[in-house]
Amino acid sequence: MATDHIYLDNAASTPVADEVMAEMLPYMKQQYGNPSSIHRFGRETTRAIQLARKRVAEMIGASPREITFTSGGTEADNLALKGTAIHARSREPEKNRIITSNIEHDAVLEPCKDLESRGFVITYLPVTGEGLVRPSDLKNALGKDVALVSIMHANNEVGTIQPIKELAGIAHQAGALFHTDAVQAAGKIPLSVKDLGVDMMSMSSHKINGPKGVGALYIRSGLKIAPIIHGGGQESELRSGTENVPGIVGFGKACELAAKRLSQYQTHVSELRDYLIERVSKEIPHSRLNGSRTSRIPNNAHFTFFGVNGEDLIIKLDENGVAASTGSACSVKKQKPSHVLKAMGFSYEEITGSLRLSLGMHNTREEIDRTVSVLSSVVKELRELSPFKGKYA
Ligand SMILES: Cc1ncc(COP(=O)(O)O)c(C=O)c1O
């Protein structure tokens, strides 16, 4: 790939940081012991996992024993939802309902569907036009039959941040547990599990300059959930399978880096993001920023360009050196209209014209300038070809 290609799809994945790579490499070559082995090779990798667990815990204000490593955000979400549901069914069978929102990632929605097919009841909360869950809607939906509320921290498409502390408090008042999918938030905004009052929180390494295929679920100390993968009993019996040692080491380092440079990240990325939004809004007619202006993760800019097809826009941008996305990389190949934008009340035209530009630490102002200029001409070109030519050209 050309090195001058501009990467604005950091919500999908991020480059592995040099420091992360350097810490991982020995665990692929010299330090290959199985952490379950008693000899020194095993003890070495066990120590590496302990350090990584401490670093992940520190980033979110947890204690190391509250961290369970998984194969990523998807597995962490599955473990939280299914693990809670299975445990509740065996202990308190009357608690057979889960509340979630209409704008969750498929990593939450699909396990919910699966649980529905196994007799659990799922309540899906609506959202506002900005993508916010209303606390009053959660209050009204709660009841004694609810085992778990699962609401994402920041949305992967439009970047809206939910009032997690308030929502968790409401869930607890009704006797329900609270899980949040913080895959898009952890490492990007200040975040403490104790302050938020959540019982479980999902994270993913590759969104914060760590390797792919590793993540974690925070499980509050004292809380019991059922495992969903059975075997040798690794991760305190919660997630069997020989640990992905290089991945876990890399994730730990990525968390340490993210925590250390959090304010630098927030300043750099949000300044670029605001500059991008300002220029697009001023220079590209019939464009609109989607999601909340104020309650938003620092690296997300999500627009609708009226009279343009978002898929065509991405192809044209890519041809002209800019990598962008319409939304969720994980479901984009399904070519279905975004369930998030639908839930926010968008029309078909507003959904098809949507584009997500998500920034990272390595992006520069010069790249934003080039992006705006490419975007302006590509949008113009596509509008010329569109049946809406007269309306938006
Ligand atoms: C909000 C959210 N949850 C879960 C996931 C899945 O994480 P992973 O790719 O680590 O499985 C993603 C990935 O895009 C995400 O954005």
Side-chain angles (χ1 to χ4, degrees):
M1 188 178 68
T3 49
D4 62 351
H5 213 89
I6 302 170
Y7 186 74
L8 292 178
D9 201 11
N10 290 274
S13 203
T14 54
V16 174
D18 292 343
E19 300 90 322
V20 169
M21 186 77 134
E23 284 216 17
M24 287 174 70
L25 281 175
Y27 294 92
M28 294 190 185
K29 190 87 181 138
Q30 305 95 324
Q31 281 153 284
Y32 47 79
N34 186 323
S36 296
S37 301
I38 293 169
H39 51 64
R40 66 190 56 220
F41 291 84
R43 289 200 304 272
E44 249 170 26
T45 46
T46 297
R47 267 196 300 276
I49 292 178
Q50 279 166 351
L51 175 61
R53 206 183 300 282
K54 181 167 169 284
R55 286 169 165 171
V56 175
E58 273 170 6
M59 185 182 78
I60 58 164
S63 90
R65 68 198 149 85
E66 295 175 308
I67 302 298
T68 299
F69 287 115
T70 64
S71 66
T74 301
E75 190 190 321
D77 286 340
N78 272 264
L79 177 58
L81 289 149
K82 293 178 185 166
T84 306
I86 294 165
H87 189 264
R89 178 166 277 179
S90 68
R91 301 291 165 98
E92 300 172 279
E94 68 287 358
K95 288 206 175 233
N96 74 334
R97 188 153 67 94
I98 292 173
I99 299 179
T100 188
S101 83
N102 271 333
I103 60 159
E104 299 297 311
H105 191 274
D106 280 345
V108 165
L109 294 178
E110 290 298 322
C112 281
K113 262 198 220 159
D114 180 68
L115 287 168
E116 226 164 357
S117 75
R118 292 162 201 271
F120 287 91
V121 179
I122 315 287
T123 302
Y124 298 91
L125 297 180
V127 294
T128 67
E130 290 190 344
L132 282 160
V133 171
R134 293 180 201 85
S136 57
D137 283 341
L138 175 59
K139 227 177 255 176
N140 294 336
L142 277 158
K144 285 198 172 64
D145 57 338
V146 178
L148 178 70
V149 176
S150 178
I151 306 287
M152 72 199 316
H153 201 313
N155 182 265
N156 49 298
E157 292 188 35
V158 294
T160 301
I161 298 174
Q162 302 295 339
I164 293 299
K165 187 174 179 165
E166 187 179 358
L167 297 172
I170 294 169
H172 288 155
Q173 270 171 18
L177 294 169
F178 192 92
H179 163 253
T180 188
D181 173 345
V183 165
Q184 293 290 344
K188 295 178 188 161
I189 54 173
L191 197 156
S192 148
V193 283
K194 299 286 178 292
D195 179 51
L196 291 173
V198 297
D199 300 295
M200 286 171 282
M201 189 172 93
S202 303
M203 292 166 274
S204 176
S205 155
H206 72 107
K207 310 291 183 181
I208 54 168
N209 306 105
K212 291 171 184 62
V214 57
L217 181 66
Y218 156 80
I219 307 170
R220 177 179 50 74
S221 175
L223 175 63
K224 290 263 173 297
I225 63 169
I228 56 169
I229 296 178
H230 301 88
Q234 287 89 347
E235 294 296 287
S236 308
E237 308 274 334
L238 258 184
R239 202 283 182 175
S240 286
T242 301
E243 297 87 339
N244 168 8
V245 180
I248 289 172
V249 166
F251 181 27
K253 186 66 185 175
C255 289
E256 187 197 53
L257 270 181
K260 218 186 277 177
R261 69 175 193 199
L262 183 61
S263 68
Q264 193 195 348
Y265 171 88
Q266 285 191 290
T267 309
H268 175 71
V269 169
S270 66
E271 271 175 20
L272 286 185
R273 191 265 322 264
D274 293 344
Y275 176 59
L276 170 67
I277 292 173
E278 190 192 316
R279 284 204 54 192
V280 167
S281 308
K282 265 197 202 138
E283 295 172 34
I284 308 186
H286 309 293
S287 63
R288 187 189 71 198
L289 178 73
N290 300 318
S292 169
R293 270 191 184 264
T294 48
S295 188
R296 185 180 203 110
I297 39 168
N299 71 331
N300 175 294
H302 187 283
F303 301 99
T304 291
F305 296 99
F306 289 88
V308 169
N309 181 305
E311 306 280 333
D312 297 341
L313 189 51
I314 285 163
I315 293 164
K316 281 276 171 204
L317 285 172
D318 195 37
E319 281 170 9
N320 287 279
V322 179
S325 160
T326 52
S328 171
C330 319
S331 64
V332 80
K333 288 197 181 111
K334 293 185 195 159
Q335 299 278 322
K336 57 175 188 187
S338 156
H339 66 279
V340 174
L341 302 182
K342 254 196 203 165
M344 287 164 67
F346 283 30
S347 67
Y348 183 73
E349 188 190 4
E350 288 168 322
I351 295 175
T352 40
S354 70
L355 179 80
R356 178 185 72 187
L357 299 170
S358 52
L359 290 80
M361 204 55 195
H362 58 277
N363 290 125
T364 62
R365 201 170 166 93
E366 189 268 330
E367 286 183 330
I368 302 300
D369 286 331
R370 266 166 58 208
T371 299
V372 176
S373 112
V374 168
L375 195 54
S376 291
S377 63
V378 165
V379 167
K380 205 183 240 169
E381 189 188 328
L382 289 173
R383 280 181 181 152
E384 282 293 323
L385 302 169
S386 125
F388 300 108
K389 188 174 172 204
K391 200 167 164 196
Y392 297 118

